Amino acid sequence: MPTSTPKSKPNNESVSEAERRIERLALHLNPVMGGALNQLEMVTCSRGKLSVETPSLSSYLRGKYTEIQEKIIDYFNANPHLQTPLEISKDEHRELCMRQLLGLVREAGIRPLRCVTDDPAMYFAILEAVGSVDMSLGIKMGVQYSLWGGSILNLGTQKHKDKYFDGIDNLDYPGCFAMTELHHGSNVQGLQTVATFDPITDEFIIDTPNDGAIKWWIGNAAVHGKFASVFARLQLPNYDKKGVSDMGVHAFIVPIRDMKTHQPLPGVEIHDCGHKVGLNGVDNGALRFRSVRIPRDNLLNRFGDVSRDGKYTSSLPTINKRFAATLGELVGGRVGLAFSSVSVLKVAATIAIRYSLLRQQFGPPNQPEVSILDYQSQQHKLMPMLASTYAFHFATTSLVEKYCQMKKTHDDELVADVHVLSSGLKAYVTSYTAKSLNTCREACGGHGYAAVNRFGILRNDHDIFQTFEGDNTVLLQQVAGDLLKQYMRKFKGGTLAVTWNYLRDSMNTYLSQPNPVTVRWEGEAHLRDPKFQLDAFRYRTSRLLQSVAVRLQKHSKSLGGFGAWNRCLNHLLTLAESHIESVILAKFIEAVQSCPDPSAQAALKLVCDLYALDRIWNDIGTYRNVDYVAPNKAKAIHKLTEYLSFQVRNIARELVDAFDLPDHVTRAPIGMQSEAYSQYTQYVGF
């Protein structure tokens, strides 16, 4: 904001805080000449503007799967009848979504299931492109190939792949993933659906024992699905005594509709979950089973099998280990959601920033109005968000690479690492994107409220990302739990997982008394040093980890383990978020250092510095409370963060152009009927 004081108001100490705020607001809306010009000079000219080669930056971002993504976009551009209109009913949207998927597979020749097995990174690239056409289509494709198809590939054995692979791949066998129940979503081990083995007929009997066990929110179930991977408690009869043995949750292939008539099969009840807040192109339904019999071979038996005489065998000795192995093979869904959420954030940020560059409001008297992105308040909303978008891009890209490596090697340590990282990144990124969608809408004022600009559609469709494939609060607790295990392992002399290596030194370097000299260093070179930034992030995480471990030990004596965990739950969630932020920054720094183009590298360094210092400033109270930074250093961080935000604003157009999003993704023709706003359709997201 301008720094000059209105001449009509004397500068004395009797002026109330409220009056001073009113003065500043008045200056913001109707600034005096000198102050406004000085402000704009600082924004546009301070220390010069970086020269960014957008094609080089875009090439570094997009990687090696550009060709197949463009093939998908070109197919839908060439088939306007497959593009989703703004106004469409639930039933029409569902049918269109199925036609879109059929066209993608059978006409465009895209075979996602083969990529799930041969090249998961390509699968996620396909998912990103498909989601840009219609997020409902992306989710429907994910249900078919990642969930239904993935359960066959990851939980079944060769006999299942031989029988079902081609039908799933070409959409002859549309299917569902029936895990969630009405009374149990996050607590998968508490599922109540049962699969009882009948040794006489060599079959499993699938039963829904009560209303709470009805399979709920099952994608593809309401209209299109013919099969379902049903997760149920495997029960075997006891021959030496009455009753049955519960072997834990397993997955079973259950046909739900007749292949010819498409009618529900005997004993299968299918209900429609109806209209939802978003993703209405996906036909979510409810499934109830009444003594549905399936062959013994329909048990997905990679981690546990039942012989003809009813004996159970498994390479894993306990129910908990089998359960962990089963869920561990399903982490691809979380990886995909984290990756897709970043794509949504790119779209929203691009539309809001392009609009803010062209939209002009207010300005100095008798001078042209200025771009609203020249206002510090607008930069504060959008520039750290743009920096976060870049940070999340590199973090989720790294996660995809690690997931691909895990699928090739099946290394136990890598499996555990990917499980926790995918949980944390999915929770953190989807929560941030959900909040940012509202911020982008508000940043575009009244125009942002028109449906054609896509903010409402994006917000509603993305909202459920925070819940499915694991509730975000539950997933963050998994991250916190693993951090505590790593913490205890350190004191027992064990080795740490790769991602947690910095904890080796945390209780020594990071938790020692802060250096009285470095806490006062205020120089720009020091504050923009990646080592200072990463040390600050990790210091905070380590302090949180140590303090919550002490609290849990204290409260467990009086409250027990469960009660102590609940008492410290908010602390644990903060710990998990802090750790994930440390991981994100580390990956961003690696990406900056690996960038081969000097122009792109300079731009990324600027954006990375803004991401890091903005996060530090947002939690400056924590650093001040433990004297990690002195008061003057805190002020220097704040000033430098504002300066970096100004600098990122100067290259904001190039930064969003580097995402290289298809025109149909960011162009929403707001006000095309009005001459006053036709200029926006030339370039802006509207």
Side-chain angles (χ1 to χ4, degrees):
M1 289 190 182
T3 57
S4 58
T5 304
K7 59 184 178 181
S8 61
K9 192 71 166 178
N11 185 14
N12 57 65
E13 296 181 0
S14 64
V15 179
S16 69
E17 178 63 18
E19 289 174 318
R20 285 196 292 270
R21 291 185 179 183
I22 291 173
E23 287 176 0
R24 287 196 289 269
L25 285 171
L27 281 170
H28 187 73
L29 295 175
N30 191 21
V32 296
M33 177 74 75
L37 291 179
N38 289 339
Q39 172 76 0
L40 291 180
E41 286 175 2
M42 179 171 65
V43 170
T44 58
C45 303
S46 179
R47 307 194 197 181
K49 175 183 174 180
L50 281 177
S51 175
V52 182
E53 295 293 334
T54 302
S56 297
L57 180 57
S58 180
S59 175
Y60 186 58
L61 287 174
R62 294 198 65 184
K64 61 181 181 179
Y65 297 109
T66 304
E67 185 176 342
I68 193 166
Q69 289 184 318
E70 290 179 348
K71 179 180 179 181
I72 293 168
I73 299 305
D74 290 345
Y75 171 74
F76 284 102
N77 284 340
N79 291 275
H81 65 286
L82 292 179
Q83 296 173 13
T84 306
L86 183 63
E87 298 183 26
I88 186 170
S89 70
K90 168 177 65 66
D91 293 339
E92 290 172 332
H93 197 178
R94 289 173 170 182
E95 290 308 313
L96 174 61
C97 208
M98 189 62 187
R99 291 199 304 274
Q100 289 171 333
L101 187 57
L102 285 167
L104 184 72
V105 172
R106 297 179 179 178
E107 295 177 11
I110 304 297
R111 291 301 178 92
L113 190 61
R114 300 188 186 279
C115 296
V116 170
T117 55
D118 300 337
D119 191 348
M122 180 181 286
Y123 173 78
F124 292 123
I126 293 171
L127 191 65
E128 181 180 33
V130 168
S132 75
V133 175
D134 186 332
M135 217 180 299
S136 286
L137 175 59
I139 297 301
K140 194 171 185 70
M141 189 187 91
V143 170
Q144 174 68 13
Y145 296 108
S146 181
L147 296 181
W148 156 234
S151 65
I152 301 297
L153 297 178
N154 296 316
L155 303 181
T157 49
Q158 192 60 45
K159 63 182 179 182
H160 301 112
K161 299 171 189 177
D162 292 342
K163 184 174 181 179
Y164 292 99
F165 187 97
D166 289 340
I168 295 172
D169 192 40
N170 63 24
L171 288 174
D172 284 343
Y173 294 167
C176 318
F177 185 81
M179 177 182 281
T180 299
E181 295 178 357
L182 186 59
H183 282 181
H184 288 88
S186 299
N187 183 13
V188 179
Q189 281 188 298
L191 296 180
Q192 299 177 63
T193 302
V194 294
T196 306
F197 181 63
D198 182 349
I200 298 175
T201 62
D202 196 27
E203 294 174 317
F204 288 105
I205 305 170
I206 310 297
D207 261 311
T208 303
N210 54 62
D211 289 349
I214 295 173
K215 296 296 181 181
W216 205 265
W217 293 125
I218 308 305
N220 274 359
V223 179
H224 298 123
K226 295 182 183 294
F227 296 87
S229 291
V230 176
F231 287 77
R233 312 193 72 83
L234 171 56
Q235 296 187 341
L236 298 176
N238 288 327
Y239 297 103
D240 54 343
K241 54 184 178 180
K242 294 182 179 180
V244 294
S245 295
D246 188 335
M247 309 309 296
V249 175
H250 289 64
F252 302 83
I253 300 171
V254 182
I256 60 173
R257 285 187 172 92
D258 186 273
M259 291 296 294
K260 294 181 179 179
T261 67
H262 201 62
Q263 293 301 306
L265 291 171
V268 180
E269 298 178 9
I270 304 176
H271 302 274
D272 196 325
C273 287
H275 199 275
K276 307 183 294 292
V277 171
L279 297 177
N280 281 297
V282 182
D283 52 313
N284 292 89
L287 299 173
R288 183 168 198 150
F289 304 101
R290 299 185 185 275
S291 299
V292 176
R293 290 179 172 268
I294 59 173
R296 179 169 54 88
D297 277 352
N298 283 26
L299 166 66
L300 294 173
N301 61 338
R302 177 179 172 187
F303 297 116
D305 203 1
V306 177
S307 64
R308 178 64 184 86
D309 59 359
K311 292 183 179 179
Y312 185 83
T313 57
S314 174
S315 59
L316 301 172
T318 66
I319 288 178
N320 286 340
K321 287 187 178 296
R322 291 193 292 271
F323 178 74
T326 298
L327 292 192
E329 287 297 325
L330 303 175
V331 298
R334 289 176 190 162
V335 175
L337 281 183
F339 191 76
S340 297
S341 184
V342 179
S343 302
V344 175
L345 185 56
K346 288 177 184 176
V347 172
T350 297
I351 294 174
I353 289 170
R354 286 180 175 173
Y355 175 84
S356 298
L357 284 164
L358 292 183
R359 178 70 165 178
Q360 297 177 341
Q361 291 289 287
F362 305 107
N366 303 317
Q367 296 290 325
E369 292 184 304
V370 301
S371 163
I372 62 174
L373 198 55
D374 285 336
Y375 287 104
Q376 190 181 65
S377 55
Q378 194 78 345
Q379 292 169 9
H380 181 69
K381 290 177 183 177
L382 297 178
M383 295 303 96
M385 181 194 303
L386 179 57
S388 296
T389 306
Y390 269 80
F392 298 166
H393 168 86
F394 291 116
T396 54
T397 299
S398 174
L399 175 63
V400 168
E401 292 170 356
K402 186 167 286 194
Y403 174 78
C404 294
Q405 185 181 358
M406 180 202 81
K407 296 298 289 183
K408 290 179 181 178
T409 64
H410 301 287
D411 178 76
D412 289 341
E413 183 176 318
L414 200 54
V415 169
D417 201 20
V418 169
H419 171 70
V420 179
L421 270 179
S422 63
S423 297
L425 282 171
K426 182 267 184 187
Y428 188 91
V429 171
T430 58
S431 293
Y432 185 94
T433 298
K435 295 181 180 73
S436 297
L437 287 166
N438 275 329
T439 301
C440 288
R441 205 293 301 158
E442 294 169 7
C444 294
H447 291 308
Y449 197 61
V452 290
N453 73 14
R454 300 194 71 210
F455 288 130
I457 295 171
L458 290 172
R459 182 177 58 193
N460 291 346
D461 284 350
H462 177 274
D463 190 65
I464 193 60
F465 280 39
Q466 300 173 91
T467 302
F468 62 19
E469 290 291 338
D471 174 85
N472 283 358
T473 301
V474 175
L475 294 181
L476 288 174
Q477 289 180 70
Q478 292 181 11
V479 176
D482 198 75
L483 280 166
L484 287 164
K485 289 179 183 177
Q486 300 288 341
Y487 178 83
M488 296 305 296
R489 187 178 296 176
K490 170 187 166 54
F491 287 103
K492 293 179 180 179
T495 58
L496 300 180
V498 176
T499 305
W500 284 253
N501 272 340
Y502 69 86
L503 293 176
R504 286 197 185 102
D505 305 317
S506 64
M507 301 304 112
N508 302 318
T509 304
Y510 298 120
L511 297 185
S512 61
Q513 192 69 20
N515 187 312
V517 176
T518 57
V519 298
R520 289 173 171 78
W521 284 353
E522 305 173 22
E524 181 178 332
H526 167 66
L527 297 180
R528 297 185 68 174
D529 184 347
K531 184 179 186 308
F532 159 72
Q533 297 165 1
L534 200 52
D535 279 354
F537 276 49
R538 290 173 169 177
Y539 178 89
R540 178 185 56 172
T541 303
S542 300
R543 294 282 306 199
L544 288 165
L545 178 56
Q546 184 196 43
S547 57
V548 79
V550 171
R551 288 187 65 202
L552 284 168
Q553 186 177 31
K554 171 187 172 183
H555 290 304
S556 63
K557 295 176 182 177
S558 58
L559 301 175
F562 181 85
W565 187 272
N566 193 36
R567 175 66 66 87
C568 301
L569 187 52
N570 289 334
H571 193 159
L572 290 160
L573 297 177
T574 303
L575 165 65
E577 290 175 340
S578 176
H579 171 67
I580 293 302
E581 286 182 350
S582 298
V583 172
I584 291 170
L585 178 60
K587 294 304 176 184
F588 201 171
I589 291 171
E590 287 178 14
V592 173
Q593 295 171 344
S594 301
C595 184
D597 180 76
S599 165
Q601 187 180 54
L604 290 175
K605 179 66 170 72
L606 175 65
V607 175
C608 184
D609 289 340
L610 176 58
Y611 172 78
L613 293 178
D614 179 70
R615 287 297 190 279
I616 293 172
W617 174 249
N618 286 340
D619 201 18
I620 198 65
T622 295
Y623 295 105
R624 285 290 302 117
N625 285 342
V626 296
D627 291 324
Y628 191 79
V629 296
N632 285 345
K633 186 171 186 174
K635 292 179 182 178
I637 290 172
H638 185 214
K639 290 179 181 178
L640 183 55
T641 302
E642 289 187 340
Y643 163 71
L644 294 174
S645 188
F646 296 150
Q647 290 298 307
V648 171
R649 174 261 177 267
N650 288 337
I651 58 170
R653 184 187 299 271
E654 291 89 340
L655 289 172
V656 296
D657 284 355
F659 293 146
D660 198 19
L661 299 174
D663 285 344
H664 77 272
V665 173
T666 55
R667 188 180 300 279
I670 244 187
M672 284 188 70
Q673 70 279 13
S674 169
E675 289 297 321
Y677 297 112
S678 61
Q679 57 177 311
Y680 296 145
T681 65
Q682 303 296 317
Y683 180 75
V684 76
F686 296 161

